[in-house]
Amino acid sequence: MAGDGDGGGFFLLAWGLWASVFGWVVATDFRGAARRLHAMSARAAPFGGGRPPAVGVGFVRFVAGVFALVGPVALVAGALMSLRDQAAPEPLPRLPLPFAVFAALGTGAALWTLWRRSGPLRLEWAEGGTVRRAAAVVLTGTLVAVPAILVLGRTAATLLVWLLGGAAGVVLLLGRRDRTGSGPGADDVRAPR
């Protein structure tokens, strides 16, 4: 209903923007993004134990293709809803304490998984330059900020921080170009043999 300020249009706008960019970058394997996402996912598995991934790069590209097709539709729908409903999104209801504890535990587990010795963000930090390190810091900050802002019930702030984290994730997926194929990170973008 127009004028209720539920923030649904703003959510669709933010989600559609993220899904469009992420989907097209990974589905087209732009600068090896699909292979990097596949490699990062394998490294992020908490108890992977060095087993080969259950799915291949083709499946990752297929799923990203779904995002690439649905994202623009959500983006247009969100823009139309936002134009129709000029009211600011209402804050979310405050979440109960058990959810806050669960969110804190989930955030801690995610940070441990991503920053442990073989974790993808630790490796990005070790191999990366200034831009990739900054993206790793921003992504880490958003992992902490999104649950905290969500617990406070701030709809717009949560979505903006989430989009910032998504942008940092895309920067990490794009990595850096290695013209020789032998520099740091080349294993992530080289085609499997």
Side-chain angles (χ1 to χ4, degrees):
M1 170 200 255
D4 64 357
D6 64 357
F10 187 61
F11 173 79
L12 274 178
L13 193 63
W15 189 89
L17 178 63
W18 175 83
S20 298
V21 172
F22 169 81
W24 284 106
V25 164
V26 176
T28 60
D29 198 18
F30 181 69
R31 291 182 63 178
R35 290 178 293 233
R36 285 183 58 81
L37 179 61
H38 186 259
M40 286 177 167
S41 300
R43 287 193 306 252
F47 305 108
R51 293 187 304 238
V55 297
V57 176
F59 181 76
V60 171
R61 290 181 72 182
F62 170 77
V63 171
V66 173
F67 278 90
L69 294 175
V70 173
V73 174
L75 185 63
V76 169
L80 292 175
M81 286 175 68
S82 295
L83 288 174
R84 187 184 68 210
D85 180 17
Q86 295 297 322
E90 293 177 7
L92 296 169
R94 288 195 183 259
L95 298 171
L97 182 62
F99 177 81
V101 171
F102 179 74
L105 291 173
T107 300
L111 289 174
W112 173 80
T113 300
L114 294 172
W115 281 100
R116 66 180 186 207
R117 185 168 292 189
S118 63
L121 290 183
R122 171 80 63 95
L123 295 174
E124 289 296 320
W125 183 270
E127 297 174 356
T130 305
V131 173
R132 285 170 67 190
R133 287 182 175 180
V137 169
V138 168
L139 187 57
T140 300
T142 59
L143 284 174
V144 173
V146 166
I149 297 171
L150 191 60
V151 166
L152 295 174
R154 305 287 183 229
T155 306
T158 301
L159 291 174
L160 290 174
V161 170
W162 177 70
L163 276 175
L164 182 64
V170 169
V171 167
L172 290 174
L173 284 180
L174 293 177
R176 71 176 158 199
R177 257 196 188 156
D178 181 42
R179 294 187 179 137
T180 64
S182 60
D187 293 336
D188 294 338
V189 296
R190 218 180 298 153
R193 294 179 187 168

